[in-house]
C-alpha cells in the first residue's frame, strides 16, 4: 500500500498528535515508517497545531520517545512558527509588541522572529483583581498583536490582559495558532486551543464595534503553514503527501495547498465523522494507523 500511496511523492508531512503519538507514547509503526521513507529517499517533516512547544522542545519530545535518530530538529514545525510567519509577512513592519496568551514555546518562537513579547509563561499563576487591572491600564505596553496558543497555564489573568490589549489599541491584531476544539486522550476529549480562543473572543464580543474582531487562525488549515513547511525543498505541491487524523485541519490543509492527503483513523476522526464529510473534503487515502501503510 505504501508503494501506491507514495507514487510520485517527494515529501511527507506528518501531523503529530493522533498519528505519531498520543500524549507521550509513540503510536505503533512510527519508527518503521520513518526508516522506510528514509531508505527510499523520501523527505519527511512534522507539522503540529500545538503551539506550547518551540521547535527545540518538539524535537526533545521525539528524543524522549526514542525517535531522536530518525527525527531532526530542522524538520519540526510547531504552529507558533506559523503565527510568527503571519505577523512577519502579512503585517510587515506593523507588529512590534505582542501579548502571548500561550505557553513558553510559543513565546520562544515569536521572540526568535524578532517580536517583543509579553506574557506567556511569565503570566502563569498570576491573579487579576480590579487593582491589578487598573495598574495594567496605566502601565501596560500598547500591544500590536495578541497571539492565543494552546496553554495548560491559561488563566483569567491572560484572558483579561488579552481583552485589555484589544481595548488599548483598536488596530491590535488577534491571531490564534489554531482553533482545534479538542484532542483525544484515551476515550475522552481534552479541550484544545479553540476553547481558549473562544474565551478571548467572548471577552471582546461585547466591546464597542470598532474594537471587536475575528481572529486569524494561522496553523492548519491555513495554507500559510503548509507553504512554510515545504519552503526551501523545491518540491511542487502535488508531490507532497500530508498524513493526519483530523479532516478539519490536516485534510483541509492538504486541500488548501494542493497536497495529496491520507487520513489516519487512530485519532480525533470517527467512522461516523468520515461518513458525513462532504465528498470534496474526502482524503485520497484512509488507513487505521501507520502500520496499515506498511502491511498492505
Ligand atoms: Mg492530530
Amino acid at each position: 500500500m505504501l508503494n501506491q500511496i507514495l507514487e510520485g511523492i517527494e515529501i511527507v508531512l506528518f501531523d503529530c498528535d493522533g498519528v505519531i503519538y498520543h500524549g507521550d507514547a509513540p503510536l505503533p509503526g512510527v519508527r518503521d515508517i520513518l526508516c522506510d521513507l528514509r531508505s527510499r529517499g523520501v523527505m519527511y517533516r512534522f507539522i503540529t497545531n500545538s503551539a506550547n512547544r518551540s521547535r527545540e522542545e518538539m524535537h526533545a519530545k521525539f528524543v524522549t520517545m526514542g525517535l531522536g535518530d530518525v527525527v531532526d530538529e530542522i524538520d519540526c514545525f510547531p504552529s507558533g512558527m506559523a503565527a510568527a510567519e503571519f505577523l512577519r509577512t502579512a503585517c510587515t513592519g506593523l507588529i512590534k509588541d505582542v501579548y502571548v496568551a500561550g505557553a513558553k514555546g510559543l513565546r520562544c518562537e515569536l521572540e526568535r522572529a524578532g517580536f517583543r513579547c509579553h506574557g506567556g509563561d511569565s503570566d502563569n499563576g498570576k491573579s487579576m483583581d480590579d487593582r491589578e487591572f487598573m495598574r495594567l491600564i496605566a502601565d501596560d505596553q500598547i500591544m500590536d498583536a495578541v497571539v492565543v496558543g494552546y496553554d495548560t497555564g491559561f488563566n483569567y489573568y491572560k484572558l483579561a490582559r488579552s481583552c485589555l490589549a484589544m481595548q488599548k489599541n483598536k488596530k491590535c491584531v488577534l491571531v490564534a495558532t489554531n482553533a482545534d476544539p479538542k484532542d483525544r486522550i484515551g476515550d475522552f476529549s481534552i479541550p484544545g486551543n479553540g476553547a481558549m480562543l473562544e474565551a478571548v473572543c467572548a471577552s471582546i464580543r461585547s466591546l464597542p464595534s470598532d474594537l471587536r474582531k475575528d481572529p486569524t487562525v494561522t496553523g492548519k488549515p491555513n495554507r500559510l503553514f503548509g507553504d512554510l513547511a515545504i519552503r526551501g525543498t523545491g518540491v511542487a505541491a502535488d508531490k507532497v503527501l500530508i498524513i493526519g487524523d483530523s479532516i478539519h485541519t490536516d485534510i483541509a490543509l492538504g486541500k488548501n495547498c494542493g497536497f495529496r492527503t491520507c487520513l489516519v483513523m487512530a485519532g480525533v476522526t470517527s467512522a461516523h465523522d468520515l461518513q458525513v464529510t462532504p465528498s470534496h473534503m474526502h482524503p485520497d487515502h484512509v488507513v487505521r494507523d501507520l502500520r496499515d501503510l506498511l502491511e498492505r
Side-chain angles (χ1 to χ4, degrees), residues 27-247:
L27 288 169
V30 171
R31 166 173 290 282
D32 292 340
I33 196 149
L34 297 181
C35 290
D36 191 306
L37 291 174
R38 204 166 252 194
S39 70
R40 294 167 188 257
V42 175
M43 287 183 278
Y44 51 82
R45 290 180 166 178
F46 304 89
I47 174 170
T48 175
N49 264 359
S50 272
N52 54 330
R53 291 185 177 84
S54 63
R55 65 194 81 172
E56 291 87 354
E57 291 169 319
M58 187 175 163
H59 181 249
K61 177 165 177 159
F62 282 110
V63 172
T64 307
M65 291 189 303
L67 296 168
D69 59 326
V70 283
V71 178
D72 295 327
E73 187 183 299
I74 200 172
D75 296 324
C76 295
F77 290 79
S79 65
M81 291 172 71
E85 175 73 3
F86 172 77
L87 292 177
R88 205 176 56 77
T89 55
C91 314
T92 317
L94 298 174
I95 309 293
K96 292 189 171 56
D97 288 275
V98 176
Y99 182 69
V100 183
K104 186 175 157 203
L106 174 57
R107 181 169 171 152
C108 174
E109 288 298 342
L110 293 167
E111 280 176 340
R112 193 198 315 262
F115 302 108
R116 270 196 305 267
C117 289
H118 310 265
D121 57 316
S122 64
D123 280 350
N124 283 6
K126 288 189 182 171
S127 61
M128 179 68 74
D129 55 20
D130 293 1
R131 197 172 158 162
E132 173 65 2
F133 199 67
M134 288 296 291
R135 188 189 70 76
L136 289 170
I137 290 170
D139 295 352
D140 210 8
Q141 286 275 343
I142 300 293
M143 304 296 169
D144 304 305
V146 170
V147 181
V148 186
Y150 178 73
D151 179 15
T152 55
F154 187 78
N155 55 19
Y156 184 77
Y157 194 92
K158 294 181 187 182
L159 176 61
R161 258 187 103 176
S162 301
C163 179
L164 178 60
M166 294 293 155
Q167 295 174 76
K168 289 179 81 170
N169 176 13
K170 65 175 141 188
K171 291 198 173 126
C172 185
V173 176
L174 179 59
V175 169
T177 58
N178 65 306
D180 302 39
K182 63 179 181 185
D183 258 317
R184 202 176 100 182
I185 304 279
D187 291 333
F188 292 85
S189 293
I190 190 166
N193 190 46
M196 290 166 245
L197 176 62
E198 198 48 50
V200 173
C201 290
S203 77
I204 61 174
R205 204 166 284 144
S206 61
L207 297 177
S209 59
D210 60 337
L211 298 176
R212 277 180 247 147
K213 60 205 63 176
D214 292 324
T216 300
V217 176
T218 55
K220 296 177 282 184
N222 190 326
R223 69 166 297 165
L224 168 150
F225 200 16
D227 292 343
L228 181 68
I230 62 166
R231 184 179 294 166
T233 63
V235 175
D238 63 351
K239 295 186 171 4
V240 180
L241 171 70
I242 182 162
I243 303 181
D245 69 323
S246 162
I247 290 169

Side-chain angles (χ1 to χ4, degrees), residues 15-19 48 180 183 220 244-246 249-250 267-268:
D15 169 46
C16 295
D17 236 309
V19 176
T48 175
D180 302 39
D183 258 317
K220 296 177 282 184
D245 69 323
S246 162
T249 59
D250 305 314
V268 292

Side-chain angles (χ1 to χ4, degrees), residues 223 236-240 252-260:
R223 69 166 297 165
D238 63 351
K239 295 186 171 4
V240 180
L253 179 79
K255 302 283 181 192
N256 288 341
C257 292
F259 301 158
R260 303 240 304 264

